[in-house]
Amino acid sequence: ADLHCTESVTQEKLASNGHVEATERAKYDYLIMIDGNGDDFQLNESRIESSASRRKQLPMLVTNGFSTALLVFHPYYRDGFQFDAGADEIVDGRPAIPVHFSHIRGRRTPAALALRGREYPLELEGTAWIDRQSGEVVKMDASLMNDMSDIGLRSLGIHVEYKTAILGKTSTKLTLPALAVVDVTTPRQHWRNTHVFDGYKSFSAEAEQDPNVRILAGTADAGSDKTAAVVTADPKEKP
């Protein structure tokens, strides 16, 4: 899964009555590279802000990676969740199987809260609707299993929708994230971020290691802990 697309992000700060107090909009060139198997997993994201963005640089909540919510089904993570299938439902005019998932305490999870230089794993529960005919995930909803107000996170709601995209001259069809909405409340604030993904393209990359160059210890990528989705809290806000 080596993909490039355009990501449009709307960050909103909400008042207690639900009205929008402040809004930021930005566009990014978004790259994602995923590789691995049941024993190992590698995910690398790159988000470069487009020159077309016109932001006010307000202190807003930062969310990324939630388009990969379906990683709860990946062999690397799925042993960390319990799954239960329900009766068929109709989604977008087609029968779909709702599969409820809930995190098993102490196991791996693909989501975390980044706060003051630390990452706190997030225990999630939710439902994924799987198209009965194709076996593809159509949409997902997820939320926190437990209140985390003690570290500044009262609630987290995730909604992701997936659509079929046609890639390249080979007309390869893949079901990919089209929309991700992340709703977060802290003891003092309410935030909602909307991510829209379009213009998908696949790419390939190759790299060679010069045998004369040594890699020093301690230079590993900070994202090597394999966390896929991250909420970065406002550093100015106290829990």
Side-chain angles (χ1 to χ4, degrees), residues 76-238:
Y76 187 83
Y77 290 109
R78 67 186 178 204
D79 288 342
F81 290 84
Q82 179 179 336
F83 299 95
D84 298 291
D88 282 14
E89 299 179 11
I90 301 301
V91 178
D92 294 334
R94 298 170 63 88
I97 306 168
V99 178
H100 181 75
F101 56 90
S102 55
H103 185 252
I104 302 172
R105 184 178 293 273
R107 301 285 183 88
R108 291 169 176 163
T109 174
L113 167 69
L115 179 65
R116 300 184 182 94
R118 293 186 59 186
E119 285 195 356
Y120 299 86
L122 300 180
E123 294 187 298
L124 300 177
E125 63 179 352
T127 302
W129 286 263
I130 301 176
D131 186 281
R132 173 166 285 281
Q133 182 176 352
S134 68
E136 299 284 358
V137 176
V138 179
K139 66 177 183 177
M140 294 184 70
D141 289 331
S143 60
L144 285 180
M145 294 180 63
N146 302 296
D147 187 296
M148 298 176 66
S149 294
D150 57 329
I151 59 170
L153 186 60
R154 177 170 291 170
S155 70
L156 167 68
I158 305 165
H159 174 75
V160 186
E161 297 178 5
Y162 299 86
K163 303 292 184 183
T164 300
I166 299 176
L167 304 181
K169 298 179 180 179
T170 59
S171 299
T172 301
K173 292 184 179 181
L174 292 178
T175 300
L176 298 169
L179 172 73
V181 181
V182 184
D183 193 281
V184 173
T185 59
T186 70
R188 298 185 180 184
Q189 306 288 355
H190 184 187
W191 313 87
R192 182 176 59 218
N193 290 358
T194 302
H195 304 251
V196 177
F197 305 89
D198 58 17
Y200 277 102
K201 298 177 181 179
S202 60
F203 68 91
S204 61
E206 296 182 359
E208 294 183 0
Q209 175 65 47
D210 187 337
N212 297 316
V213 176
R214 297 182 61 187
I215 304 298
L216 299 179
T219 59
D221 188 331
S224 60
D225 59 356
K226 302 177 177 63
T227 301
V230 178
V231 178
T232 304
D234 182 354
K236 297 182 180 179
E237 179 183 355
K238 296 182 180 179

Side-chain angles (χ1 to χ4, degrees), residues 23-35:
T23 303
E24 285 272 32
R25 291 182 174 86
K27 286 185 178 292
Y28 298 90
D29 287 328
Y30 176 81
L31 300 174
I32 184 167
M33 294 172 282
I34 302 177
D35 191 17

Side-chain angles (χ1 to χ4, degrees), residues 1-2 32-44 71 74 76-77 226:
D2 296 337
I32 184 167
M33 294 172 282
I34 302 177
D35 191 17
N37 51 48
D39 299 320
D40 195 13
F41 178 78
Q42 294 180 343
L43 181 146
N44 291 290
L71 285 174
H74 189 281
Y76 187 83
Y77 290 109
K226 302 177 177 63

